[in-house]
Amino acid sequence: MTQEELLPLLLRKEEKAFTILYDMYSKSLFSIITNLIKDREEAEDVLQEVFVKIWKNIDTYNQSKGRLYTWMLNITRNTSIDKLRSKGFNNSQKNLSSDNFVHLLDDSNKLTNRIDTIGILEFVKKLKPKCIQIIDLLFFKGYTQQEASEELEIPLGTVKTQNRMCMNDLRKFLNV
């Protein structure tokens, strides 16, 4: 089923549309979540929250502003970042045993593979090195623009401008 066929069903809140939407996009959205949230249970909770938000807010989606998948990616990313910043999540992460961190050494390769599974990595690789760095921080690692500014040691306004230009370049590659 295509996005054009699915959207009217979603707008009418037909249950089968939700099932189709979940089947089509849950794996790729889950990979975005797990890039930011390493705990599988927490990531699964966020995925559930993301689909509830998509279902409840589907009427706010505007086709003229972009693809449905892009809209859902933004919801996914923002929900994941909200979870990371929440007080409860931060408190639950304070007393983790060292066993929870053993996987981090392997994760740099897994991260690249997860990003590549949704097809974005090849497009991002075509960008200028500065764009790759900014997109990595802002979208794959969940940094705020302020945090990226501090990490890259460049002014916040420069990060905002470069991010906007990089996203425009990426849109050209994606033909969006």
Side-chain angles (χ1 to χ4, degrees), residues 21 39 55 58 62 64 71 74 81 84 86 90 109 118 127-128 148 172-173 176:
L21 183 77
D39 181 84
W55 183 252
I58 191 65
N62 183 343
S64 67
W71 180 75
N74 285 329
I81 291 170
L84 286 171
S86 73
N90 287 326
N109 290 334
I118 60 173
L127 298 172
K128 298 175 212 154
K172 288 176 193 170
F173 288 132
V176 177

Side-chain angles (χ1 to χ4, degrees), residues 123-156:
F123 292 105
V124 172
K125 283 182 179 177
K126 294 178 184 179
L127 298 172
K128 298 175 212 154
K130 193 56 131 180
C131 286
I132 293 169
Q133 193 175 26
I134 287 176
I135 288 173
D136 180 56
L137 291 175
L138 295 177
F139 294 93
F140 297 125
K141 292 184 178 166
Y143 282 44
T144 63
Q145 290 180 336
Q146 180 64 45
E147 291 167 339
S149 167
E150 293 165 7
E151 176 75 20
L152 299 172
E153 298 178 350
I154 58 176
L156 177 60

Side-chain angles (χ1 to χ4, degrees), residues 28-29 31-33 35 67 69-74 76-77 111-127 131-132 135-136 139-140 166-167 169-171 173-174 176:
S28 61
L29 296 180
S31 76
I32 297 297
I33 295 166
N35 282 333
R67 295 175 42 220
Y69 183 67
T70 306
W71 180 75
M72 292 189 313
L73 278 178
N74 285 329
T76 302
R77 183 179 163 275
L111 173 65
T112 302
N113 292 337
R114 280 192 225 126
I115 294 167
D116 195 38
T117 60
I118 60 173
I120 293 176
L121 186 59
E122 288 306 312
F123 292 105
V124 172
K125 283 182 179 177
K126 294 178 184 179
L127 298 172
C131 286
I132 293 169
I135 288 173
D136 180 56
F139 294 93
F140 297 125
C166 294
M167 293 311 292
D169 291 345
L170 189 57
R171 280 186 191 99
F173 288 132
L174 296 171
V176 177

Side-chain angles (χ1 to χ4, degrees), residues 83 86-93:
K83 181 64 157 183
S86 73
K87 195 175 202 174
F89 181 79
N90 287 326
N91 287 339
S92 74
Q93 300 301 303

Side-chain angles (χ1 to χ4, degrees), residues 1-120:
M1 178 173 282
T2 66
Q3 174 183 317
E4 290 76 26
E5 295 168 331
L6 182 60
L7 192 57
L9 300 175
L10 289 170
L11 291 170
R12 289 193 303 264
K13 302 281 187 183
E14 294 187 20
E15 276 188 46
K16 73 175 184 174
F18 183 79
T19 303
I20 293 167
L21 183 77
Y22 186 86
D23 290 343
M24 288 174 66
Y25 296 107
S26 62
K27 287 181 184 174
S28 61
L29 296 180
F30 188 68
S31 76
I32 297 297
I33 295 166
T34 57
N35 282 333
L36 296 169
I37 299 175
K38 302 301 180 203
D39 181 84
R40 185 169 181 85
E41 271 187 47
E42 292 286 346
E44 289 170 351
D45 288 346
V46 170
L47 181 66
Q48 182 178 358
E49 188 177 337
V50 164
F51 273 97
V52 168
K53 284 182 180 182
I54 290 168
W55 183 252
K56 285 183 177 180
N57 297 305
I58 191 65
D59 55 327
T60 65
Y61 166 67
N62 183 343
Q63 275 185 297
S64 67
K65 291 185 178 180
R67 295 175 42 220
L68 177 63
Y69 183 67
T70 306
W71 180 75
M72 292 189 313
L73 278 178
N74 285 329
I75 290 172
T76 302
R77 183 179 163 275
N78 292 340
T79 304
S80 298
I81 291 170
D82 289 347
K83 181 64 157 183
L84 286 171
R85 292 182 181 157
S86 73
K87 195 175 202 174
F89 181 79
N90 287 326
N91 287 339
S92 74
Q93 300 301 303
K94 285 182 181 174
N95 295 320
L96 294 177
S97 74
S98 60
D99 294 341
N100 289 309
F101 298 99
V102 172
H103 70 281
L104 290 177
L105 297 174
D106 287 340
D107 268 5
S108 62
N109 290 334
K110 290 179 185 172
L111 173 65
T112 302
N113 292 337
R114 280 192 225 126
I115 294 167
D116 195 38
T117 60
I118 60 173
I120 293 176

